[in-house]
Amino acid sequence: MAVVFEKTKALTDVKLHYCPGCAHGIVHRLVAECLEEMDEVKNAIACVPVGCAVFANNYFNFDAIQCAHGRAPATATGIKRVHPDKMVLTYQGDGDLASIGTCEIVHAAARGEKVTTIFINNGIYGMTGGQMAPTTLPGMKATTAKAGRDPKINGNPLRVSEMLATLTGPAYIERVSVSTPAQVTQAKKAIKKALEIQKQGLGFTFVEVVSTCPTNWGLTPVKAMEFVRDKMIPYYPLGVFKDITAEEGK
Amino acid sequence: MAKGKVTINEVICKGCGLCVSVCPKKVLDLSTTKINAAGYNPAEMVSDDCIACTSCAKMCPDCAITVEKLD
């Protein structure tokens, strides 16, 4: 009898506070597994956001700092410049990164800071109760868009990965999802590649994860995963948007 | 003959059902008799057809699943 899957040691035994079926738990595990496999757990510093993942420092079994709202890339910049040999990553949601922290993420990417950002895009503000986010899909209901988002009034959702891919600074940008086991495997590969590129000091790395919020979407966890596949991924297509290691190989 | 065994940590399972939805052999289901301290019905094995593919564990947001491969 051989154990083929067990909880990674890079996560603590604290019970996650997330709602049932929240994909934050999956992405936490992927980040932790990647760091454990790279033997970088003792060398990692996570910059955690304001939002549902604000207590991620309780779950990561490595150093972490809670940053001011949206300012995780700025905090990570400081840490990485003082400790260039550490693995520095930011873990941010869409309210944190794509709204109040847009300035910080764009400029950290433009400067090519050698950190990794994990961006959880679930199209809604989770912690504060389901308000419309910059990434809410057209027609998607939120507490501040009762009839669904109307692009004429509320504007159109941001595609952050595509936007950052136009810059020179980033080394690697990929959008993944976690709505099926195969997508989870691909997401892990993307996170690991981003961390490896950071380790090589090649530039800014960014992994966007199209995620779920079953509670505020008003769906069961299983239906929320279907919503990701049917509605979110057509607007936020998965794939690699920038990879300087692939370009060098051409 | 079972090729694998799934162990679910019933204390931290939140009964979200993602593991149940992705199991290719329909080995798992939410319990109809058990309820944990947080008020959730944890997942449990309902058949012996597990092939140790780890799909359930990959989807579990709470790291509540351990998978073993039987010899």
Side-chain angles (χ1 to χ4, degrees):
Chain A
M1 190 182 287
V3 175
V4 286
F5 193 103
E6 63 181 342
K7 185 173 179 175
T8 167
K9 301 279 187 294
L11 288 175
T12 62
D13 288 331
V14 179
K15 185 180 172 182
L16 275 71
H17 74 280
Y18 302 115
C19 305
C22 176
H24 265 312
I26 301 175
V27 185
H28 281 17
R29 194 191 76 234
L30 297 181
V31 171
E33 283 178 354
C34 289
L35 287 168
E36 188 184 33
E37 286 167 18
M38 293 170 71
D39 197 21
E40 293 284 353
V41 177
K42 287 185 178 166
N43 204 26
I45 302 172
C47 301
V48 304
V50 171
C52 287
V54 67
F55 294 126
N57 54 315
N58 291 340
Y59 311 132
F60 291 143
N61 206 358
F62 42 87
D63 287 340
I65 181 169
Q66 286 180 345
C67 305
H69 200 356
R71 274 73 204 199
T75 310
T77 298
I79 294 171
K80 186 71 179 182
R81 287 189 179 197
V82 175
H83 297 289
D85 54 331
K86 297 281 182 190
M87 295 293 282
V88 182
L89 59 106
T90 78
Y91 185 103
Q92 302 176 263
D94 46 5
D96 189 77
L97 182 142
S99 180
I100 192 168
T102 322
C103 167
E104 276 71 19
I105 191 65
V106 170
H107 286 281
R111 292 193 305 268
E113 296 296 342
K114 296 171 185 63
V115 302
T116 299
T117 291
I118 312 295
F119 169 40
I120 308 298
N121 177 3
N122 59 7
I124 209 152
Y125 282 31
M127 183 183 73
T128 49
Q131 290 84 359
M132 184 176 61
T135 45
T136 301
L137 297 176
M140 194 172 160
K141 287 181 181 168
T143 55
T144 48
K146 290 281 187 193
R149 181 176 187 151
D150 180 357
K152 285 181 186 158
I153 300 168
N154 310 118
N156 288 292
L158 289 183
R159 290 189 181 96
V160 179
S161 289
E162 284 89 334
M163 193 167 79
L164 296 182
T166 63
L167 301 171
T168 310
Y172 180 71
I173 296 177
E174 180 166 356
R175 183 186 285 124
V176 294
S177 186
V178 288
S179 76
T180 63
Q183 287 179 352
V184 172
T185 306
Q186 179 57 33
K188 185 174 172 182
K189 273 186 200 163
I191 292 170
K192 198 160 189 184
K193 180 157 188 184
L195 292 169
E196 276 167 358
I197 289 175
Q198 180 190 158
K199 199 173 179 182
Q200 293 163 25
L202 298 178
F204 180 77
T205 48
F206 185 88
V207 179
E208 173 174 347
V209 184
V210 182
S211 181
T212 62
C213 184
T215 300
N216 287 305
W217 289 359
L219 299 171
T220 65
V222 176
K223 292 275 179 202
M225 291 300 186
E226 287 171 13
F227 184 86
V228 166
R229 291 193 289 276
D230 298 342
K231 299 281 172 16
M232 296 284 280
I233 291 176
Y235 193 89
Y236 297 110
L238 308 184
V240 179
F241 293 94
K242 191 166 186 199
D243 183 359
I244 61 163
T245 58
E247 286 161 16
E248 280 168 2
K250 275 180 189 167
Chain B
M1 173 72 186
K3 291 177 185 167
K5 182 174 168 237
V6 174
T7 310
I8 289 149
N9 183 337
E10 291 175 356
V11 177
I12 62 170
C13 175
K14 292 174 185 158
C16 70
L18 290 178
C19 54
V20 177
S21 74
V22 298
C23 179
K25 293 286 181 184
K26 306 289 172 218
V27 166
L28 297 165
D29 203 353
L30 297 184
S31 177
T32 51
T33 52
K34 290 180 198 159
I35 190 163
N36 66 18
Y40 299 117
N41 297 112
E44 62 182 9
M45 271 183 96
V46 291
S47 88
D48 283 337
D49 295 332
C50 179
I51 53 170
C53 70
T54 71
S55 291
C56 53
K58 280 179 187 160
M59 288 304 286
C60 179
D62 292 277
C63 295
I65 299 178
T66 306
V67 184
E68 288 165 296
K69 197 168 195 171
L70 304 178
D71 297 324

